[in-house]
Amino acid sequence: MSIRLWKEVRALSLAWIVALFLPIVAMKTDFLVQQCWIFLCGAGYLGLGAMSFGYEINHGTLPLLLSQPVSRRRLWLEKTAVLAVVMGVTFLAHVVVCILFKLSLVLAFEILLAAVCAFLVCPAMTLIVKNTLAAAVFTPIVLAVVGLGVFGITDLLYPARVEAMNGGDTLVYFQVIPAVAAAGVIFVIGYFIFQRLECREFLGREVGLAWLLAPGRWLLTASGPGTWWSSLVLKELQLHRLNFFLAFLFVLACLASAFHAWLKPVLIYGDDFFYRMPFLIYWAIAPLTIGAVPIAEERQLGVLEWQMAMPPARGKQWAIKAIVTYLVGVAWLVILPVACLIGLYRPLQIPFFENDLQVAWTCVAALGLMTLAFYTSSLCATTLRTVLVTLAALISVSLSMAAFFWIPSVLDYYTQFLWRCESEQLLKFLISSSPFGVLFTISLFTAMGIGVISALILGLCRVNYLANDPRRWFVKTQWVIVVLGVDLLVNSLIYFSNLLAEFKITPL
Amino acid sequence: MNAEIPAIDIQHLARKYGRTDAVNDLSLTVRPGRCYGFFGRNGAGKTTTIKCLLNLLRPTSGSIQVFGMDPRRQEAEVKARVCYVPDVVAFYPWMTVRGALDYLASFREKWNRETEITLLKRFDLDPRKSTSGLSKGQRMQLALIAAICPEPELLVLDEPTSGLDPIVRRDFIRTVIGAYQAGDPGRRTVFVSTHLISEFEGLIDEFSIIEKGRTLLALEADAAREQFQRIDARFALAPPLLDDTEIVQSKRDGRELSLIVRGNIEKVSAHLRAHRPESMNTQALTLEEIFLATLA
């Protein structure tokens, strides 16, 4: 293989591993439902698409590449050809998995769609925003906006015609075709952008809305000249500018959905998925970006070591970073979606999850994913790599579950021991059928499990941040600890829920 | 090749970043076979100009020709005859030194392996070492090797000695660049932007000094040394005030007077002698002193 083509393949290697192997491995665990599998496959294709040109941007090799005696058209063809081959091989592997696991071929079609859209849009989006993470995030958002926008408008203008069509045709004609057409247009735009691409000193583009931070800036400086901690807090908030922008887009999407529901009094088949889409996309993407940004973004910008050389102790800097990240996480992953649900969806009776407990668990899961991404960002050089490695960590967890089936048996022994001891009455009260008892018990064990594991992960994150360049053996050991810890937590939750079922304890 | 076609011909180049004029009406011409120095303060527009040469930036207005070709329309043809070393060098982190050189060689029709081996030994670079483990200076050395081995007709260097230790710097400038040009005199052109003007003193044939995107001075090096002279004089009492237009810079230190003069040296000398100095001597300026005097 030509050395240049090999270099292109090598640049895509991490994203290719994630895209190719992890969904395949995930299917072995019986843990993932089909929708999650499509998400994993899609995330892998997005990573591949963003890395194609994003690698050059992240590593500053674009001037080196563009100053070589080869036309830009040739460079574009080489990169997109390699990307197409890599994505093609990945797709074929996923099709084989579908066949082996006797999955519906419609799933294969959906994965093909994800691959084609990622191939057409992601490289162009990287050249437009000049930020790999933003490109990977905005690609599905742009396509969702196009697809759902066309569907929403058609549904409003021609409701009878849409109602007469079956769900599949609606999906294809009003969402898939417009989205793919838009993807093709964006691909062509990307080619022309590359032809005219310039190598300025700072290639990264500010993706965010700085004015959203204005109130925060005023609050922090209202008392007088900024203190070191207020400067750090403001800096951390500004690192999250992409997440502020995502939250802004999410609110716009919810408003658009609510407006659509308000105009359309009778909801038809497929509407619940239509209205859930903003939340599903947001809760899938935002935890990863909120967690990935704090440390990896500074490292990517090249300012991390300079920042660490500043007078405030590293531990204090990390603490402020963690606090701001969790505040942003709680605000954008919990408060904002719940506020949109209560303020917009409930009054219009838009269908959503079956009960409030599912919403609560989704928020908890989102915060958990954010914690994992925050930890991973302490080890990765770029934000996109952080996201890919976080997804890899999730799959490692599901892989290890089968290996740790003995943990429930240990917990079972422990429960039997408790049952025999004198606190039998207390235990019976704790897992009695009264709502208070169930709620208390679930909260206690969940908080303990999540709290302990989160504290462990955050502790390791802090160690990595303070060390800045942890030894390899320590990094590998950490991975084992984190994977085991999360695996223990999930196994415990599964076991505990089985225990409750055994005692015929029904959820609220 | 027709020797009359300039290696670089820039006419009224302008480039804006938003409302800021990075380059504003810059013109210069570089004849083939010359070593051309491109000097200026930080932010003067040197790197912007160099990037416009290679179509890494598009000019807002003006024209650029490299060997009579437009870098925008004939990008590949221009780059086939040019090698560029940027001020900030980056390589793909998984490549070794050997791998990076092989990768860059794959773009070139011609690659002198003997020069590569010689320069690797001279710079003491291990071909098996990963580029991610190289220091800033070593990355620059690698970039210089990669630029010289194809033996291009035009070598464009942006701060090439940045990060190099003094020994390597001297060796590189005197031997490597000098040997590169000597390899094909009259055909190999060097266009170098640098702050270490004194280090390139012996090599520069012509130079430009730019400030705020405009050319302040463009001269041949020998002509500049003839035109610019320093006169040091010592007086019994306070030195006189002279307002000759040829005086570019004047410094007083007690009874001593130091003048930098451009143009009619004899006229200024005669004026000084009229004030009966205790001692007076004249000497040519280095290019660095000319640069400092021009920008002062």
Side-chain angles (χ1 to χ4, degrees), chain B residues 182-253:
Chain B
D184 195 351
R187 269 176 60 94
R188 290 187 186 173
T189 311
V190 178
F191 185 83
V192 57
S193 162
T194 180
H195 290 131
L196 297 174
I197 302 168
S198 58
E199 305 260 356
F200 281 85
E201 184 78 37
L203 285 174
I204 298 288
D205 300 312
E206 288 180 61
F207 67 94
S208 283
I209 297 174
I210 72 168
E211 171 77 351
K212 291 183 183 171
R214 289 173 185 265
T215 307
L216 279 188
L217 183 69
L219 281 176
E220 298 226 1
D222 290 336
R225 290 186 194 100
E226 280 176 21
Q227 280 190 27
F228 285 83
Q229 301 252 344
R230 181 166 64 234
I231 304 174
D232 296 312
R234 185 186 174 86
F235 294 87
L237 298 170
L241 287 169
L242 298 178
D243 58 357
D244 297 67
T245 54
E246 290 84 354
I247 296 174
V248 175
Q249 197 179 76
S250 172
K251 273 188 192 164
R252 282 175 172 69
D253 186 11

Side-chain angles (χ1 to χ4, degrees), chain A residues 121 149 165 193 216 299 341 388 418 448 498:
Chain A
V121 178
M165 296 168 82
I193 289 175
R299 198 170 273 135
L341 271 176
L388 293 174
L418 274 182
M448 279 170 54
N498 290 339

Side-chain angles (χ1 to χ4, degrees), chain A residues 250-277:
Chain A
F250 169 69
V251 170
L252 283 183
C254 289
L255 285 170
S257 299
F259 183 64
H260 182 272
W262 180 68
L263 288 175
K264 192 174 162 26
V266 178
L267 299 173
I268 63 169
Y269 172 76
D271 279 358
D272 55 341
F273 181 71
F274 171 73
Y275 293 117
R276 264 193 272 170
M277 274 298 281

Side-chain angles (χ1 to χ4, degrees), chain A residues 96-395:
Chain A
V96 167
V97 168
C98 285
I99 294 170
L100 287 176
F101 284 89
K102 298 183 176 61
L103 300 176
S104 161
L105 284 181
V106 172
L107 198 65
F109 173 75
E110 289 173 355
I111 296 169
L112 174 66
L113 205 60
V116 167
C117 289
F119 169 76
L120 292 174
V121 178
C122 230
M125 194 63 70
T126 311
L127 293 171
I128 292 169
V129 297
K130 296 193 183 71
N131 182 306
T132 49
L133 181 64
V137 161
F138 287 145
T139 296
I141 289 175
V142 164
L143 294 173
V145 164
V146 170
L148 295 173
V150 170
F151 172 74
I153 291 169
T154 313
D155 193 30
L156 287 171
L157 294 176
Y158 306 103
R161 198 173 288 182
V162 171
E163 196 169 333
M165 296 168 82
N166 66 49
D169 287 345
T170 313
L171 188 71
V172 169
Y173 289 114
F174 299 124
Q175 294 183 45
V176 170
I177 292 177
V180 173
V185 169
I186 294 172
F187 182 78
V188 173
I189 292 172
Y191 169 73
F192 286 109
I193 289 175
F194 185 67
Q195 284 287 331
R196 298 170 63 81
L197 189 66
E198 295 186 317
C199 292
R200 296 193 178 193
E201 289 304 323
F202 172 60
L203 280 181
R205 179 165 293 181
E206 286 295 302
V207 180
L209 297 172
W211 57 266
L212 283 175
L213 291 168
R217 203 177 287 122
W218 178 83
L219 274 172
L220 286 167
T221 58
S223 59
T227 54
W228 64 266
W229 61 267
S230 66
S231 300
L232 281 178
V233 168
L234 194 58
K235 180 262 295 180
E236 292 300 326
L237 286 174
Q238 286 173 329
L239 280 177
H240 282 283
R241 60 203 184 286
L242 171 64
N243 299 312
F244 276 75
F245 191 56
L246 279 179
F248 175 70
L249 291 179
F250 169 69
V251 170
L252 283 183
C254 289
L255 285 170
S257 299
F259 183 64
H260 182 272
W262 180 68
L263 288 175
K264 192 174 162 26
V266 178
L267 299 173
I268 63 169
Y269 172 76
D271 279 358
D272 55 341
F273 181 71
F274 171 73
Y275 293 117
R276 264 193 272 170
M277 274 298 281
F279 285 81
L280 292 179
I281 293 177
Y282 183 68
W283 265 327
I285 294 172
L288 292 169
T289 57
I290 293 173
V293 149
I295 302 172
E297 174 93 359
E298 281 198 312
R299 198 170 273 135
Q300 189 171 316
L301 291 171
V303 297
L304 184 63
E305 288 180 345
W306 167 76
Q307 177 64 55
M308 283 175 144
M310 296 287 165
R314 286 191 193 184
K316 287 182 185 172
Q317 291 189 35
W318 182 86
I320 288 176
K321 201 177 273 290
I323 290 168
V324 170
T325 300
Y326 272 86
L327 285 174
V328 170
V330 168
W332 292 155
L333 297 177
V334 178
I335 297 174
L336 184 68
V338 170
C340 287
L341 271 176
I342 295 172
L344 292 173
Y345 278 33
R346 283 255 168 102
L348 293 166
Q349 296 177 332
I350 298 173
F352 200 68
F353 286 157
E354 288 175 13
N355 55 57
D356 290 344
L357 199 60
Q358 287 185 345
V359 176
W361 275 116
T362 308
C363 292
V364 169
L367 286 174
L369 186 58
M370 183 198 79
T371 304
L372 193 60
F374 183 49
Y375 159 73
T376 316
S377 83
S378 68
L379 294 171
C380 294
T382 65
T383 47
L384 184 62
R385 183 171 284 206
T386 300
V387 168
L388 293 174
V389 173
T390 304
L391 292 176
L394 280 178
I395 302 308

Side-chain angles (χ1 to χ4, degrees), chain A residues 3-4 7 10-11 55-56 59-61 64-72 196 198-201, chain B residues 15 17 47 51 55-58 75-76 79-80 84 90-95 102-104 106-108:
Chain A
I3 194 168
R4 278 156 46 188
K7 171 229 134 192
R10 179 65 180 79
Y55 197 94
E56 311 286 353
H59 288 85
T61 49
L64 178 75
L65 184 66
L66 292 180
S67 63
Q68 299 307 314
V70 62
S71 66
R72 294 206 183 187
R196 298 170 63 81
E198 295 186 317
C199 292
R200 296 193 178 193
E201 289 304 323
Chain B
R15 165 70 203 199
Y17 290 112
T47 300
K51 285 187 175 178
N55 198 32
L56 298 178
L57 287 175
R58 286 190 314 281
E75 189 173 357
K79 288 174 185 171
Y84 168 55
F91 291 100
Y92 300 100
W94 69 80
M95 288 184 180
D102 288 341
Y103 170 69
L104 293 169
S106 69
F107 288 97
R108 303 283 174 178

Side-chain angles (χ1 to χ4, degrees), chain A residues 394-408:
Chain A
L394 280 178
I395 302 308
S396 303
V397 167
S398 59
L399 254 186
S400 66
M401 277 184 178
F404 288 92
F405 64 89
W406 55 268
I407 290 177

